[in-house]
């Protein structure tokens, strides 16, 4: 298994492509948007440059990693030689089902189809393919090149052979795989998202301000980042999407998104990606642009 296709060149997709390429795999990075592919490669290059400056890798290793990545904007062409496909598109069930139907038609029999979904049912995704035993969840954490954990999620029909293969493969990437079962949110987001949602509820109810809530959790609970800042980093739209999946899956009101979160997403305040969420990132972005002019 030396050829891996990654669907989606966004934050998770380019991070997954970077990780496989740095481990010596030939990577086909696929996205319908040429601009997304360009930005994805730029991000990978910047991250590799940072690793070179920290002497984590050499300049030669950086060049080799980049040479291992080829970009495509057509799924059929991109997966032609792949032994494994990892889908890392937007956390949208309709989009993922569409992609997996395409993958099932384009990929030869026996190819493993993995999804980086952080909450959507693996069994449901597998149901639109003719190979449900070869569909599995491979949930990387962000930032992918740094974070060690990979949640490996078995669908109802995922075979032992496929599960063992992906567990072993994750270890070759220097990751620590943890096998979990197929329920909404799996383990990571089933625990994390209610905490973030409750933090937003605490703000919404006027118990304390943004800075105060984050400070309590950082200093009192030894969290490296406050929950509201973390939500900004994840993307408030992503948080809302995951909570909706969990609420629909369990029909339990404890997973219902806070009205404040819903309104912020409607208003386009999505966190870092939009320049504003619970914190205002516009000034830091301006500073970055000014700094780049003198580099």
């Amino acid at each position: 298994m030396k050829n891996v296709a990654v669907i989606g060149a966004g934050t998770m997709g380019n991070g997954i492509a970077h990780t496989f390429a740095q481990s010596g795999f030939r990577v086909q990075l696929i996205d319908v948007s040429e601009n997304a592919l360009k930005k994805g490669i730029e991000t990978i290059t910047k991250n590799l440059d940072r690793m070179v400056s920290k002497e984590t890798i050499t300049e030669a290793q950086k060049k080799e990693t980049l040479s291992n990545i080829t970009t495509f904007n057509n799924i059929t062409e991109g997966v032609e030689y792949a032994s494994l496909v990892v889908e890392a598109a937007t956390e949208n069930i309709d989009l993922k089902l569409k992609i997996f139907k395409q993958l099932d038609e384009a990929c030869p029999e026996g190819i493993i189809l993995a999804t980086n979904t952080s909450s959507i049912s693996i069994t449901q995704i597998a149901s639109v393919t003719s190979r449900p035993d070869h569909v599995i969840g491979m949930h990387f954490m962000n930032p992918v090149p740094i974070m060690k954990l990979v949640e490996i999620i078995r669908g109802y029909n995922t075979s032992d052979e496929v599960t063992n293969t992906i567990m072993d493969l994750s270890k070759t990437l220097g990751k620590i795989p943890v096998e979990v079962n197929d329920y909404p949110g799996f383990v990571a987001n089933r625990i994390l998202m209610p905490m973030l949602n409750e933090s937003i509820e605490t703000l919404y109810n006027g118990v304390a301000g943004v800075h105060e809530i984050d400070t309590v959790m950082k200093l009192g609970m030894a969290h490296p980042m406050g929950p509201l800042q973390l939500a900004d980093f994840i993307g408030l739209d992503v948080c809302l999407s995951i909570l909706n999946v969990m609420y629909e899956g369990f029909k339990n009101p404890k997973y219902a998104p806070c009205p404040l979160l819903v309104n912020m997403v409607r208003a386009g305040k999505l966190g870092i990606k939009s320049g504003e969420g619970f914190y205002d990132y516009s000034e830091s972005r301006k500073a970055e642009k000014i700094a780049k002019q003198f580099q």
Side-chain angles (χ1 to χ4, degrees):
M1 188 179 288
K2 277 297 178 183
N3 285 284
V4 177
V6 178
I7 312 294
T11 301
M12 296 305 294
N14 71 61
I16 293 168
H18 173 164
T19 300
F20 273 103
Q22 192 176 327
S23 297
F25 291 83
R26 298 293 299 176
V27 178
Q28 295 81 52
L29 182 58
I30 307 166
D31 200 296
V32 294
S33 167
E34 285 287 357
N35 189 48
L37 288 170
K38 181 182 176 182
K39 287 184 177 179
I41 295 298
E42 287 175 353
T43 298
I44 294 170
T45 303
K46 287 177 183 177
N47 288 336
L48 288 169
D49 284 336
R50 192 176 296 114
M51 295 173 79
V52 171
S53 67
K54 292 181 178 180
E55 299 185 347
T56 306
I57 62 172
T58 65
E59 183 67 28
Q61 288 173 315
K62 168 198 163 182
K63 291 179 180 178
E64 183 180 356
T65 297
L66 289 172
S67 71
N68 282 336
I69 304 173
T70 308
T71 60
F72 296 85
N73 55 21
N74 182 292
I75 282 182
T76 302
E77 293 178 4
V79 302
E80 187 175 0
Y81 301 108
S83 302
L84 166 69
V85 180
V86 182
E87 172 273 318
T90 305
E91 193 74 350
N92 178 291
I93 181 60
D94 293 330
L95 176 60
K96 290 187 185 293
L97 295 181
K98 179 182 177 182
I99 289 172
F100 271 78
K101 285 179 182 177
Q102 289 179 284
L103 291 174
D104 191 45
E105 293 172 1
C107 294
E109 185 179 346
I111 302 304
I112 297 174
L113 306 181
T115 172
N116 184 58
T117 181
S118 59
S119 61
I120 297 169
S121 168
I122 308 303
T123 304
Q124 184 178 4
I125 291 172
S127 70
V128 301
T129 75
S130 61
R131 63 185 90 192
D133 58 324
H134 275 62
V135 178
I136 193 166
M138 199 176 186
H139 178 210
F140 291 86
M141 305 292 127
N142 185 36
V144 181
I146 296 172
M147 299 293 279
K148 291 291 186 181
L149 175 66
V150 183
E151 274 189 308
I152 306 299
I153 308 103
R154 295 181 66 133
Y156 189 83
N157 292 301
T158 306
S159 71
D160 291 339
E161 181 183 0
V162 166
T163 302
N164 292 335
T165 297
I166 296 302
M167 292 285 285
D168 291 340
L169 177 65
S170 299
K171 293 173 185 176
T172 69
L173 298 174
K175 304 300 184 184
I176 300 173
V178 177
E179 183 182 336
V180 305
N181 290 318
D182 188 18
Y183 292 94
F186 316 131
V187 172
N189 280 325
R190 183 168 180 171
I191 294 171
L192 175 63
M193 287 301 154
M195 184 192 77
L196 299 187
N197 198 42
E198 191 62 31
S199 302
I200 299 169
E201 284 278 1
T202 303
L203 176 66
Y204 180 58
N205 292 330
V207 178
V210 171
H211 177 73
E212 288 75 16
I213 291 169
D214 278 358
T215 300
V216 167
M217 296 304 290
K218 285 191 290 185
L219 300 184
M221 312 303 165
H223 288 197
M225 182 183 295
L228 299 176
Q229 186 181 18
L230 177 57
D232 276 354
F233 271 70
I234 293 170
L236 302 191
D237 53 337
V238 176
C239 293
L240 178 59
S241 176
I242 294 170
L243 283 165
N244 281 331
V245 167
M246 294 170 66
Y247 181 58
E248 288 298 317
F250 291 115
K251 304 297 183 186
N252 189 323
K254 75 177 181 179
Y255 298 114
C258 175
L260 175 58
L261 174 62
V262 174
N263 276 342
M264 289 180 72
V265 172
R266 285 174 177 167
K269 299 183 187 301
L270 310 180
I272 283 184
K273 68 176 75 175
S274 68
E276 184 179 359
F278 293 106
Y279 293 86
D280 185 355
Y281 304 93
S282 56
E283 289 304 316
S284 61
R285 286 195 168 191
K286 289 176 185 176
E288 286 178 3
K289 289 180 180 178
I290 294 171
K292 285 179 180 178
Q293 294 175 6
F294 297 96
Q295 289 178 351

